[in-house]
């Protein structure tokens, strides 16, 4: 375990050396001052002005979750099939923003694009986690069912009640994630909170941003108060009703997208030039197209993505190891201090890394530094939170050392380290997805090239690059699984699934 | 009803039943006793497999759905007898007909006031009664039970055993409380190391025989 | 006491099963709804200014054509092209490049008008005063090795043309010429970034520059023009060919006339253009050539 940690640390130090982490703005603190002033003079009225975006953020999330839960539960039942597992791993490996990019040319920037962009990857996540829950569920109650009970009755009496609580917890955790996803989809133009947040940041309207961010925190913090199981159905129904008023889906757009736009340009070229729109298959040119794309965009993009990912993997691990103590009763005895750092961690966790990166970019200019910090803070906070919770479960002997250093290194850390590593490797793939996506903000990870392809209206290129990222992610996911199995560490129950 | 001829059962390399021959006629009430590991549970399971459709089984670990109410757990006893729609409706809201059938069972097992309590909130003894109630509600011709009254205090165990005995034509239970078993059942089957060690009317089982059955090897 | 668990349990499951099924049902709505002519515009400036500009234009066009006209704001150049391709909007105020892309994807669509200034559009290269680079007649060779920002990736004046001139001058891609290359997103932001020093050099739409100067947003001690590019054709109004099926033969002519007849100063100033003149697809051939030359447009 120790050796694996050290080698990952070494790799990430190497990557840090390769990464471009320069501060490029002339006066990095000038913008920060303006942001700080903005925070002191928040313009709460925007919450009213942009109430439509607020509502959209919620409705997209609810609809996306409903689609995800619906498709995910069905897929979970067939999760033992390799094809289903691969499909789920694949759709999971593509970030919501990339999905939105894919749907943008088909349905345009309207609610349906947002709902599908959230719903599809979430379906893959739900399928996996629900299948895990099913597998780990207590099967004893099934013995008590009569031998020839029908399938549905068997499920509703013998399975669903047993897994219900786990499913509910995980789904409600995912609702919070869906709200984050929904909000950041605004950054690429969907009518959610991110749309106005981006505008405000871009145009330097710093009094608006804190109000919107606080509105967002309140929304998430208050979920517990207003999202009750009994009301969920009503919320989802209302959300679908609201969303459906603006949907534009045409069959010819779909066929054009699937049958034409996503094919490599050399296949469409001839048909385009002679005006027939027909498809040909010049194998040699297609191969050249692929090689060129891989050499000039896919590889450089992936390289930067991997470099960034490895830096933040070790970074967020160190961050978590440094800070989990602050919410642990063995190190901080004053309840109030623990509570305070608890809140800080929650705020960091709740702020989407995309928004953090955007703010840091404004401050320091485009290099990997803003991205590193954003992903590191967001993930480090989650890891610190989970590890701290675990450390609080550790019971110390009465005669254990009073010195905090000893206590940390000899009593607490050895006990929580295995699970900490499991959490960390669980999030590896997540960090990679985030690294890729931050390219949209102008860092040269794969997201940059995907964003450029979309901007150039080259869907074929975008699709190719998105598929490559998905494969990269799936690769990292399986390496992470292998490492976790080798080290025999497990993230454990629902707590660990908060990826 | 049951006619076993030299039946053996093995889990991997471990042989649990070693050539058991046993005949149990319809309408018989029999109890299986014997030291731990003798193969009582395995024998019961074997019997259950032979006549699944006609059997109700009381599991040693109750096999209840802890998240559902006691009422629903008892209802599970006849899940295969009702249509899926009826089952789902009854899950949503207990149906009148089912209530009228199930309430008397709860009265008989002495848990009327706990009928709608979640099973996870019940004590071990109460959970075992619910498991017994489920077997009774099944109205099958055979009840098989693996330690069905082990968690119930001695004063009430006899009464509950009587209830089980009167609820099906053929009743075969495995029990560890020998005195209770001998008092309640006319036929006693003693298992030892996977073989039938004794198979006698209960009044013929003497102290010496029992001592032999349970002696340490 | 009633069993507590069941209703929420079932409702969650039902919602999961039923609602995705309801989605396709709601999709066909648009078939009935879209009677209004919808138009969009590339988001080249502050959102607030765009909305103000185009709501007025929508009202004007409604009045002149007798058809309901709606402005649909979008966040990116790509989204404006996608919306046009998907027939979500039928009319658009495009840049040179986005117009070319849109017309290539929608056979039958035509450029019908452009600003008088768009015939000879210009990009300004600007630099932060700290670089010490001064304005000159020729391409400012001194920009090499500095940090540089374009506007939006899909912009003609903020990306396509400056990149073209950079490649022409150095014979290399911009990321090989400059220390760092960024995309600010829009022209106003390019100005702000170069003025603040976040980037040392940038390239933007000269009309936006003039507008910002007029609005007092340019601090001439911090940022200055260092080069004005040769001219090229830029912005244009483009309309889908199939609108005549919906609104009757001659509708395209009607919209074109309405645009050319626009006399109201306050409307024109918001673009800002002196007036609109007729345009056609062939006028943008230079943009196609430039686009294919630097690989933004597939050839």
């Amino acid at each position: 375990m120790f050796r694996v940690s050290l080698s990952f640390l070494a790799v990430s130090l190497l990557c840090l050396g390769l990464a471009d982490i320069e501060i490029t703005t002339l006066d990095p603190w000038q913008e920060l001052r303006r942001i700080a002033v903005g925070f002191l003079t928040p313009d709460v009225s925007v919450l009213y002005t942009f109430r439509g975006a607020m509502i959209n953020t919620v409705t997209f999330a609810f609809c996306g979750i409903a689609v995800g839960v619906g498709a995910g539960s069905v897929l979970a039942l067939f999760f033992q099939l390799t094809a289903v597992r691969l499909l789920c791993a694949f759709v999971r490996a593509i970030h919501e923003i990339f999905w939105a990019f894919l749907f943008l040319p088909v349905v345009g920037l309207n609610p349906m694009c947002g709902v599908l962009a959230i719903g599809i990857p979430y379906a893959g996540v739900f399928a996996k986690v629900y299948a895990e829950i099913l597998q780990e569920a207590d099967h004893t109650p099934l013995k008590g069912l009569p031998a020839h009970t029908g399938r549905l009755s068997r499920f509703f009496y013998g399975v669903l009640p047993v897994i219900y609580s786990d499913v509910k917890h995980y789904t409600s955790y995912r609702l919070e994630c869906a709200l984050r996803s929904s909000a950041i989809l605004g950054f690429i133009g969907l009518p959610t909170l991110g749309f106005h947040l981006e505008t405000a940041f871009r145009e330097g309207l710093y009094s608006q941003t804190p109000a919107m961010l606080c509105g967002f925190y309140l929304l998430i913090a208050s979920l517990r108060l207003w999202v009750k199981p009994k009301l969920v159905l009503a919320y989802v129904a209302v959300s679908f009703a609201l969303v459906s008023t603006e949907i534009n889906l045409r069959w010819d757009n779909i066929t054009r997208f699937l049958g034409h736009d996503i094919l490599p340009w050399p296949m469409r070229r001839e048909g385009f030039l002679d005006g027939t729109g027909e498809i040909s298959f010049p194998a040699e040119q297609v191969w050249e197209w692929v090689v060129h794309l891989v050499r000039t965009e896919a590889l450089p993009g992936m390289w930067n993505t991997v470099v960034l990912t490895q830096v933040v993997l070790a970074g967020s691990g160190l961050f978590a190891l440094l800070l989990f103590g602050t919410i642990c009763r063995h190190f901080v005895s004053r309840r109030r201090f623990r509570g305070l750092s608890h809140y800080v961690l929650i705020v960091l966790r709740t702020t989407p890394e995309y928004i953090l990166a955007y703010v840091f970019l404004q401050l320091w200019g485009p290099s990997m530094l803003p991205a590193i910090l954003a992903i590191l803070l967001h993930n480090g906070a989650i890891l610190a939170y989970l590890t701290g919770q675990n450390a609080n479960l550790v019971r110390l002997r009465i005669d254990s050392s009073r010195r905090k250093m000893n206590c940390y290194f000899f009593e607490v850390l050895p006990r929580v380290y295995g699970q900490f590593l499991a959490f960390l490797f669980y999030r590896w793939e997540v960090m990679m997805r985030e690294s890729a996506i931050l390219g949209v903000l102008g860092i040269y990870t794969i997201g940059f090239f995907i964003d450029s392809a979309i901007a150039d209206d080259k869907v074929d290129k975008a699709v190719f690059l998105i598929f490559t990222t998905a494969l990269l992610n799936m690769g990292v996911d399986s390496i992470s699984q292998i490492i976790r199995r080798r080290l025999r560490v497990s993230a454990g129950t629902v707590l660990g699934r908060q990826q | 009803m049951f006619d076993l001829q030299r039946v053996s059962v093995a889990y991997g390399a471990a042989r649990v039943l070693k050539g058991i021959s046993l005949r149990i006629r319809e309408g018989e009430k029999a109890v299986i006793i014997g030291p731990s590991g003798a193969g009582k549970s395995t024998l019961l399971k074997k019997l259950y497999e032979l006549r699944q459709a006609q059997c109700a089984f009381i599991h040693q670990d109750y096999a209840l759905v802890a998240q559902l109410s006691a009422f629903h757990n008892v209802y599970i006893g006849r899940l295969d007898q009702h249509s899926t729609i009826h089952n789902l409706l009854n899950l949503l809201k207990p149906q009148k007909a089912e209530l009228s059938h199930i309430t008397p069972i709860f009265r008989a097992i002495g848990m009327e006031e706990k009928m709608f309590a979640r099973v996870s909130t019940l004590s071990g003894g109460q959970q075992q009664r619910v498991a017994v109630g489920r077997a009774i509600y099944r109205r099958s011709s055979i009840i098989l039970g693996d330690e069905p009254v082990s968690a119930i205090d001695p004063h009430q165990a006899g009464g509950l055993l009587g209830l089980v005995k009167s609820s099906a034509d053929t009743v075969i239970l495995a029990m560890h409380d020998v005195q209770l078993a001998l008092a309640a059942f006319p036929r006693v089957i003693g298992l030892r190391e996977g073989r039938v060690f004794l198979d006698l009317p209960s009044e013929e089982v003497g102290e010496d025989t029992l001592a032999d059955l349970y002696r340490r090897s | 006491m009633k069993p507590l668990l069941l209703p929420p349990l079932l409702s969650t499951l039902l919602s999961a099963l039923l609602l995705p099924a309801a989605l396709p049902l709601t999709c066909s709505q648009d078939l009935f709804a879209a009677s209004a002519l919808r138009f969009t515009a590339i988001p080249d400036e502050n959102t607030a200014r765009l909305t103000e500009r185009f709501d007025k234009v929508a009202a004007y066009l409604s009045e002149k054509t007798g058809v309901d006209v709606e402005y649909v704001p979008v966040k990116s150049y790509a989204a404006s092209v996608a919306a046009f391709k998907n027939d979500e909007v039928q009319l658009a105020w495009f840049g040179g490049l986005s117009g070319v892309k849109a017309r290539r994807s929608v056979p039958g669509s035509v450029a019908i008008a452009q600003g008088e200034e768009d015939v000879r559009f210009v990009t300004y290269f600007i630099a932060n005063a700290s670089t010490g680079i001064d304005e000159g007649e020729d391409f400012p060779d001194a920009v090499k090795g500095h940090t540089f920002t374009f506007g939006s990736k899909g912009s003609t004046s903020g990306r396509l043309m400056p990149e073209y001139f950079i490649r022409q001058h150095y014979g290399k891609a911009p990321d090989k010429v400059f220390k760092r290359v960024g995309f600010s997103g829009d022209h106003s932001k390019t100005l702000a970034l170069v003025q603040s020093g976040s980037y040392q050099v940038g390239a933007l739409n000269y009309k936006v520059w003039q507008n910002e100067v007029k609005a007092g947003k340019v601090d001439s001690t911090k940022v200055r023009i260092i080069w004005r590019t040769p001219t090229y054709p830029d912005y244009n109004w483009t309309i889908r060919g199939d609108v005549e099926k919906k609104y009757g033969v001659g509708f395209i002519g009607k919209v074109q006339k309405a645009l050319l007849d626009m006399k109201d100063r306050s409307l024109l100033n918001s673009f800002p253009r002196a007036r609109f003149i007729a345009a056609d697809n062939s006028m943008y051939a230079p943009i196609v050539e430039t686009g294919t030359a630097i690989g933004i447009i597939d050839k």
Side-chain angles (χ1 to χ4, degrees):
Chain A
M1 214 177 273
F2 188 58
R3 228 190 306 160
V4 171
S5 315
L6 269 192
S7 38
F8 268 88
L9 195 61
V11 168
S12 79
L13 279 178
L14 195 74
C15 288
L16 190 63
L18 294 169
D20 155 31
I21 49 170
E22 195 184 351
I23 293 183
T24 57
T25 43
L26 283 184
D27 183 3
W29 307 114
Q30 163 196 329
E31 207 69 8
L32 189 65
R33 267 196 306 275
R34 295 182 52 204
I35 291 181
V37 170
F39 259 84
L40 295 175
T41 57
D43 174 9
V44 189
S45 69
V46 293
L47 286 181
Y48 182 74
T49 324
F50 299 147
R51 61 193 181 282
M54 232 17 183
I55 292 171
N56 279 341
T57 308
V58 176
T59 53
F60 289 13
F62 269 109
C63 296
I65 281 281
V67 171
V69 167
S73 346
V74 175
L75 287 170
L77 299 178
F78 301 97
F79 207 70
Q80 72 278 14
L81 302 175
T82 314
V84 172
R85 269 209 308 279
L86 278 177
L87 176 76
C88 292
F90 180 75
V91 297
R92 262 199 330 265
I94 298 175
H95 193 280
E96 295 89 275
I97 287 188
F98 289 154
W99 277 114
F101 275 157
L102 286 180
F103 287 117
L104 170 77
V106 193
V107 297
L109 276 175
N110 66 38
M112 190 160 164
C113 178
V115 171
L116 290 177
I118 298 174
I120 289 181
Y122 279 42
V125 174
F126 281 129
K128 178 183 167 209
V129 173
Y130 287 174
E132 274 172 17
I133 293 177
L134 267 178
Q135 203 184 358
E136 289 159 16
D138 180 10
H139 293 302
T140 330
L142 285 178
K143 288 196 301 186
L145 265 56
H148 301 292
T149 307
R151 279 183 150 212
L152 266 181
S153 302
R154 196 179 157 81
F155 179 76
F156 274 93
Y157 276 84
V159 179
L160 186 60
V162 178
I163 61 171
Y164 177 70
S165 147
D166 276 356
V167 165
K168 191 181 84 178
H169 277 125
Y170 186 74
T171 311
S172 59
Y173 161 70
R174 270 282 147 188
L175 178 64
E176 188 191 317
C177 300
L179 281 169
R180 275 203 293 268
S181 305
S182 174
I184 63 163
L185 283 175
F187 277 76
I188 62 158
L190 284 157
T192 61
L193 203 57
F195 187 96
H196 301 291
L197 211 49
E198 203 261 358
T199 310
F201 271 121
R202 177 194 290 280
E203 294 174 16
L205 308 169
Y206 294 126
S207 292
Q208 292 189 356
T209 50
M212 279 188 264
L213 280 177
C214 289
F216 183 65
Y217 296 141
L218 276 181
L219 185 67
I220 290 200
S222 67
L223 279 180
R224 234 165 260 209
L225 300 175
W226 57 276
V227 180
K228 304 280 184 201
K230 279 185 195 178
L231 297 174
V232 163
L233 183 67
Y235 290 144
V236 172
V238 170
S239 300
F240 270 102
L242 286 175
V243 158
S244 65
T245 55
E246 275 186 72
I247 273 171
N248 176 324
L249 188 63
R250 288 186 203 172
W251 189 240
D252 46 343
N253 285 339
I254 299 175
T255 49
R256 190 201 63 220
F257 177 77
L258 291 176
H260 194 261
D261 289 2
I262 64 169
L263 299 175
W265 167 248
M267 292 173 66
R268 293 179 283 129
R269 186 169 178 274
E270 239 171 82
F272 178 79
L273 292 180
D274 61 25
T276 56
E278 267 167 26
I279 306 296
S280 56
F281 193 76
E284 202 174 313
Q285 276 119 304
V286 172
W287 176 243
E288 263 171 37
W289 180 86
V290 169
V291 169
H292 185 252
L293 197 52
V294 167
R295 222 188 48 225
T296 57
E297 304 193 1
L299 283 181
M302 288 209 275
W303 169 252
N304 284 325
T305 309
V306 170
V307 165
L308 177 57
T309 307
Q310 292 318 109
V311 172
V312 292
L313 181 69
S316 27
L318 290 176
F319 178 91
L321 289 181
L322 273 176
L323 287 190
F324 84 82
T326 60
I327 59 162
C328 175
R329 62 195 171 92
H330 305 308
F331 305 109
V332 180
S333 40
R334 297 276 293 273
R335 250 225 150 93
R336 206 178 301 161
F337 290 144
R338 284 210 305 269
L340 185 69
S341 48
H342 190 99
Y343 280 115
V344 172
L345 290 182
I346 284 188
V347 166
L348 283 177
R349 174 183 109 156
T350 309
T351 315
E353 66 290 339
Y354 198 83
I355 295 179
L356 282 177
Y358 191 93
V359 176
F360 295 149
L361 264 171
Q362 304 292 307
L363 294 180
W364 302 317
S367 71
M368 272 197 193
L369 184 67
I372 291 173
L373 215 60
I375 305 179
L376 188 157
L377 285 177
H378 177 75
N379 288 288
I382 295 176
L383 289 169
Y385 176 82
L386 293 174
T387 311
Q389 301 281 54
N390 258 345
N392 276 334
L393 299 178
V394 170
R395 278 210 207 125
L396 297 181
R397 299 184 323 275
I398 311 178
D399 61 342
S400 63
S401 168
R402 294 285 123 208
R403 292 198 34 209
K404 285 190 174 158
M405 269 305 200
N406 287 342
C407 176
Y408 182 88
F409 283 109
F410 291 96
E411 300 286 350
V412 176
L413 191 58
R415 291 195 172 96
V416 297
Y417 196 70
Q419 213 165 18
F420 158 79
L421 268 192
F423 292 147
L424 184 64
F425 283 120
Y426 223 91
R427 289 201 73 83
W428 192 5
E429 172 222 12
V430 183
M431 291 182 205
M432 174 153 284
R433 228 171 17 210
E434 289 168 359
S435 302
I437 205 70
L438 290 185
V440 175
L441 294 177
I443 300 143
Y444 288 100
T445 60
I446 192 89
F448 174 84
F449 298 99
I450 293 171
D451 181 59
S452 301
I454 291 291
D456 292 348
D457 197 29
K458 291 182 182 165
V459 179
D460 49 354
K461 223 161 123 177
V463 168
F464 182 88
L465 292 173
I466 288 175
F467 276 34
T468 353
T469 341
L471 292 181
L472 184 67
N473 264 326
M474 288 165 75
V476 162
D477 194 24
S478 34
I479 296 176
S480 143
Q481 264 178 33
I482 293 169
I483 294 180
R484 289 200 309 259
R485 213 172 299 142
R486 280 260 176 88
L487 296 177
R488 292 195 198 149
V489 290
S490 139
T493 51
V494 176
L495 190 67
R497 290 205 191 92
Q498 300 204 345
Q499 53 157 321
Chain B
M1 187 105 266
F2 290 108
D3 192 2
L4 302 187
Q5 297 291 337
R6 286 188 296 278
V7 168
S8 295
V9 172
Y11 296 124
R15 281 174 68 204
V16 184
L17 295 185
K18 301 165 185 167
I20 287 199
S21 298
L22 195 64
R23 175 175 294 190
I24 295 170
R25 276 176 299 277
E26 204 175 329
E28 259 194 299
K29 321 276 181 196
V31 64
I32 306 170
I33 60 173
S36 322
K40 301 191 294 285
S41 302
T42 312
L43 177 57
L44 275 177
K45 246 179 248 159
K46 185 78 209 170
L47 295 175
Y48 179 66
E49 279 163 20
L50 291 173
R51 298 208 175 261
Q52 270 187 0
Q54 293 147 272
C55 284
F57 200 103
I58 305 167
H59 294 265
Q60 199 173 9
D61 54 6
Y62 321 146
L64 297 174
V65 184
Q67 296 82 352
L68 289 181
S69 69
F71 167 84
H72 285 106
N73 269 281
V74 169
Y75 177 81
I76 282 176
R78 286 176 75 81
L79 215 48
D80 56 341
Q81 316 278 319
H82 297 291
S83 71
T84 304
I85 297 286
H86 184 83
N87 287 341
L88 293 188
L89 284 178
N90 192 57
L91 189 59
L92 265 181
K93 183 176 183 296
Q95 301 292 294
K96 277 225 177 75
E98 303 313 324
L99 278 172
S100 71
H101 291 136
I102 290 175
T103 314
I105 295 177
F106 273 90
R107 208 171 294 138
I109 59 173
M111 285 190 47
E112 213 181 344
E113 75 286 5
K114 291 284 189 187
M115 192 149 107
F116 290 117
R118 235 186 241 209
V119 163
S120 55
T121 65
L122 299 179
S123 73
Q126 289 171 325
Q127 294 192 7
Q128 192 162 39
R129 283 163 204 258
V130 174
V132 169
R134 182 175 63 194
I136 294 173
Y137 174 66
R138 185 153 173 74
R139 285 184 232 138
S140 55
S141 57
I142 309 169
I143 290 183
L144 302 174
D146 198 350
E147 306 284 3
V149 295
S150 58
I152 287 158
D153 61 80
H155 300 292
Q156 299 177 344
L160 199 59
L161 270 186
L163 184 65
V164 174
K165 267 165 60 188
S166 64
S167 302
D169 197 20
T170 310
V171 176
I172 308 165
L173 305 181
M175 289 178 62
H176 68 270
D177 185 333
V178 179
Q179 296 316 318
L180 193 59
L182 291 180
F185 285 87
R187 180 176 170 189
V188 177
I189 300 162
L191 289 191
R192 187 181 161 82
E193 288 169 2
R195 295 196 172 84
V196 176
F197 185 79
L198 63 86
D199 186 355
L200 296 168
S202 52
E203 57 271 19
E204 291 174 27
V205 180
E207 283 297 322
D208 300 348
T209 338
L210 285 178
D212 267 354
L213 177 65
Y214 283 97
R215 79 165 188 276
R216 293 199 187 159
S217 45
Chain C
M1 201 164 66
K2 281 265 157 178
L4 307 163
L5 176 71
L6 307 174
L9 189 146
L10 227 85
S11 69
T12 320
L13 213 99
L14 278 179
S15 63
L17 291 178
L18 296 181
L19 284 155
L23 192 62
L25 286 180
T26 55
C27 293
S28 52
Q29 280 206 347
D30 195 60
L31 293 178
F32 308 97
S35 60
L37 177 80
R38 289 153 69 101
F39 79 97
T40 191
I42 48 168
D44 59 344
E45 276 195 85
N46 288 352
T47 318
R49 204 177 293 164
L50 289 173
T51 311
E52 176 206 9
R53 177 200 292 176
F54 289 108
D55 282 345
K56 277 192 279 180
V57 173
Y60 170 82
L61 287 176
S62 288
E63 189 201 312
K64 288 284 173 180
T65 58
V67 170
D68 270 346
V69 180
E70 255 173 56
Y71 165 59
V72 184
V74 293
K75 191 101 198 161
S76 68
Y77 284 56
S80 68
V81 175
F84 189 81
K85 267 164 89 168
N86 289 346
D87 200 15
E88 272 180 280
V89 299
Q90 293 77 39
L91 175 70
W93 173 240
F94 281 128
L97 179 60
S98 41
V100 164
K101 282 187 204 152
R103 289 191 296 273
R104 267 164 70 99
S105 305
V106 183
S109 55
V110 283
I112 50 174
Q114 58 182 186
E116 201 174 34
E117 298 88 334
D118 293 308
V119 186
R120 278 180 294 280
F121 214 78
V122 173
T123 292
Y124 286 170
F125 278 61
I126 56 172
N128 189 283
S130 65
T131 59
I133 305 173
D134 285 321
E135 186 172 359
E137 279 292 306
D138 300 320
F139 187 93
D141 188 64
V143 296
K144 194 161 84 177
H146 287 90
T147 61
F148 182 89
T149 184
F150 291 110
S152 162
K153 286 174 183 168
S155 163
T156 312
S157 51
R159 157 81 190 282
L160 176 73
M161 296 317 294
E163 178 164 346
Y164 175 73
F165 292 119
I166 290 163
R167 281 175 186 266
Q168 198 185 37
H169 184 82
Y170 296 105
K172 281 192 282 198
D175 56 338
K176 301 276 187 299
V177 172
F178 298 107
K179 187 167 155 212
R180 194 183 289 281
V181 175
F183 294 90
S184 73
D186 68 49
H187 304 291
S188 317
K189 189 73 187 174
T190 302
L191 171 63
L193 289 177
V194 176
Q195 183 157 295
S196 74
S198 297
Y199 283 95
Q200 293 169 306
V201 186
L204 53 59
N205 177 325
Y206 86 108
K207 278 282 171 193
V208 174
W209 170 271
Q210 290 176 347
N211 243 16
E212 301 281 349
V213 169
K214 228 181 269 170
K217 297 251 181 77
V218 178
D219 179 348
S220 55
T221 61
K222 288 189 177 160
V223 61
R224 57 173 85 123
I225 302 170
I226 55 172
W227 186 52
R228 298 160 208 250
T229 64
T231 63
Y232 53 86
D234 202 348
Y235 288 73
N236 54 89
W237 285 100
T238 294
I239 193 163
R240 287 179 66 100
D242 53 12
V243 286
E244 299 216 327
K245 270 188 228 149
K246 213 188 283 175
Y247 302 107
V249 177
F251 184 75
I252 293 178
K254 222 193 234 176
V255 175
Q256 186 179 35
K257 186 164 181 320
L259 290 170
L260 302 188
D261 286 350
M262 200 185 278
K263 295 285 183 308
D264 186 346
R265 279 280 111 217
S266 70
L267 276 181
L268 289 166
N269 281 346
S270 66
F271 279 86
R273 296 292 184 272
R275 63 187 180 105
F276 288 115
I277 58 174
D280 63 63
N281 294 2
S282 66
M283 291 176 174
Y284 292 87
I287 296 291
V288 180
E289 274 164 39
T290 317
T292 46
I294 68 174
I296 289 182
I297 296 175
D298 282 320
K299 60 163 181 273

